[in-house]
Structure formats: structure tokens, C-alpha cells
Amino acid sequence: MSEERFGKFVLVRRHEQGHVAELVLDRPKAMNAVSTGMARSVAEACAALGADREVRVVVLTSSHERAFCVGADLKERNSFSDADLVRQRPVARGAYTGVLELPVPTVAAVHGFALGGGFELALSCDVIVADGTAVLGLPEVSVGVIPGGGGTQLLPRRVGAARAAELIFTARRVEAAEARELGLVDVLVDEGRDREEALAMAARIAGNSPVGLRAAKRALRLGHGLDLPAGLEVEDAAWRSVAFSGDRAEGVAAFNEKRRPNWPGE
């Protein structure tokens, strides 16, 4: 396993011959509150991972024992002038869009508090694994703002418009069991096992075609919300991008030869 640090508060670990990248939120003294510097580092790490053709899956984890991420750094924000807030906005957005726009499958491993921007980082992932300590919510209206990391758009896509409205308008926190029932998380595991399960899932995903994984994610993301005929056109375009690839040829050959594929990744 290798490690690379992006700024003070973000660590990237490589697993599974570099095919699984673990993006670690590593600001434990602030329960991973997203400061300007941390946001910039998340964006930089995501840009590097997105450009690395060896990476097939990204797992978003936390180094804090009791929190995934508590959202924006309100202590930092308290010192901002209006002009400071305007300047910081693109930097903050860059962290969330960095995760959201990763071209490979992403899995969030959530324990403890995942509130505000912390929950939005998880929502930006394709799959959310949570343990029994997880507490999730978008409490922004309780401090005079609204979710600004994609929450008003990503949450309805998970749970429907009415349920998302109830959660955002009340600003209430949702504990793990209810979160699983409502669909806020996809997999609920025993306390302390979120990272382990997320990495195990990532290893299973990483065994598949890297070309296929990227195309499948593209089809899922671009087709969401379209009517069926338009969605099928998105799927067809993604299919055509893999149908004549080296990965497709290798996958078919490996199946017929009853062996594990050796993906060329092209």
C-alpha cells in the first residue's frame, strides 16, 4: 500500500495494486470540518485520481473515530466578510464536484456524524456504506443557509422530492437504522465495519473491466432523469464506447478460456 498527501488534510492510499484508491478526510482535530484549504485539497486529490487510468474505484473514508465529516468549517466562516465568502464559494464547490465528477465508481464509508457538507460528500458517491453509529442530515436552514454541495439535487434523486423536502426543511438528523430504511445509505453494517466493507466492495468492483466500469458509470449518471428513449440512447453510446475495446475482447476470451481476465484497460 502506498500513500500520498494532498495538503495537510487529505490522504490518498492505494490498495489492490493501485486499482483501489482510498481518499481519506484527515482533519481529525476539527472532525473533518471542510475549511477552504481542505476543500482545495479534496478537489486536487480528485483531479489526480480522475486522471489516473490505473484507478478503478475510489473509496471516501475518514480518519476520525466519531465523524465522517461535520460539514463546512463554520468557525472559519464566522470570520469571513461577504467578499471572503464570494471568493471561497468556487473553492468549496470544487470539493463536492470533484467527488461527484470522478469518472470511476465511488463508495463512501460513513460512521458517526455526516452532516451538511459531510453528507453531501457522501451523496456525491455512487454507493454509501454506513455503520450503526452513523448520523446523517442536511441542517443548513437551521443556520440560515441552504445545502450548497449538491444536497438539494442529490438527495431527491435518492429518496424522492417529498422526503428530501421534509429532511431539508426540518434540518433533522437521521440515525443509521432510519437512514437505511429511507434510502439515505445503501449498506448498513455493524459498528466499526464501514471502512472494511467499503474497501471489500471496492476490491470486488476493481476486479471488473476498467473500461466497462467507466462507461457504466457514465451511462448511469448521464441517463438519470431522462425519459426512457433518451436514456437508452445514452446507454447505446456508452455501449459503443466499450464494444470494440481491448477489454471487451479480453473479457470474452477469458470467459471462453475459463480464466481470470487480464484487463488491458483500453
Side-chain angles (χ1 to χ4, degrees):
M1 181 174 67
S2 64
E3 294 188 349
E4 179 181 5
R5 186 163 287 279
F6 290 80
K8 292 176 61 178
F9 304 128
V10 175
L11 177 68
V12 171
R13 298 190 181 109
R14 305 297 183 106
H15 305 262
E16 304 292 330
Q17 293 79 50
H19 298 321
V20 174
E22 181 183 1
L23 197 165
V24 187
L25 305 177
D26 189 30
R27 195 186 178 204
K29 291 183 179 180
M31 300 181 81
N32 290 330
V34 182
S35 63
T36 303
M38 184 174 177
R40 187 175 289 111
S41 294
V42 169
E44 290 172 355
C46 288
L49 292 172
D52 188 341
R53 299 298 295 190
E54 290 299 312
V55 175
R56 300 179 187 175
V57 193
V58 174
V59 180
L60 186 60
T61 69
S62 162
S63 65
H64 195 283
E65 293 181 355
R66 295 185 294 107
F68 175 71
C69 172
V70 295
D73 186 342
L74 296 185
K75 291 183 178 178
E76 179 188 63
R77 294 274 181 93
N78 192 48
S79 68
F80 279 4
S81 66
D82 289 350
D84 291 333
L85 191 59
V86 168
R87 282 191 293 269
Q88 195 249 11
R89 176 62 177 162
V91 178
R93 283 196 69 186
Y96 303 106
T97 57
V99 176
L100 185 64
E101 294 176 359
L102 280 165
V104 297
T106 50
V107 183
V110 175
H111 59 266
F113 297 114
L115 301 173
F119 186 27
E120 288 171 304
L121 286 171
L123 286 170
S124 297
C125 294
D126 299 302
V127 180
I128 301 176
V129 177
D131 81 355
T133 69
V135 179
L136 306 100
L138 295 175
E140 283 86 347
V141 297
S142 70
V143 292
V145 290
I146 69 166
T152 64
Q153 305 306 305
L154 296 171
L155 188 58
R157 285 166 166 77
R158 270 189 163 266
V159 302
R163 179 64 69 193
E166 181 262 321
L167 293 170
I168 290 171
F169 294 161
T170 63
R172 71 183 181 91
R173 299 181 179 189
V174 182
E175 295 188 0
E178 184 186 5
R180 178 65 184 90
E181 182 181 342
L182 295 179
L184 302 184
V185 303
D186 304 300
V187 179
L188 185 60
V189 297
D190 293 337
E191 181 175 342
R193 293 195 57 242
D194 54 295
R195 177 177 178 269
E196 175 187 349
E197 178 56 34
L199 287 171
M201 181 185 296
R204 293 193 295 272
I205 294 170
N208 297 314
S209 158
V211 171
L213 289 171
R214 287 175 178 246
K217 175 160 181 173
R218 190 163 63 249
L220 284 164
R221 286 289 176 92
L222 294 179
H224 188 91
L226 299 178
D227 61 35
L228 183 58
L232 291 173
E233 289 303 315
V234 168
E235 180 182 82
D236 186 66
W239 180 87
R240 290 175 184 277
S241 74
V242 301
F244 310 104
S245 68
D247 274 14
R248 197 276 311 171
E250 169 61 11
V252 172
F255 176 84
N256 283 286
E257 295 166 14
K258 297 181 173 55
R259 60 174 174 81
R260 292 176 63 87
N262 182 21
W263 304 114
E266 57 185 22

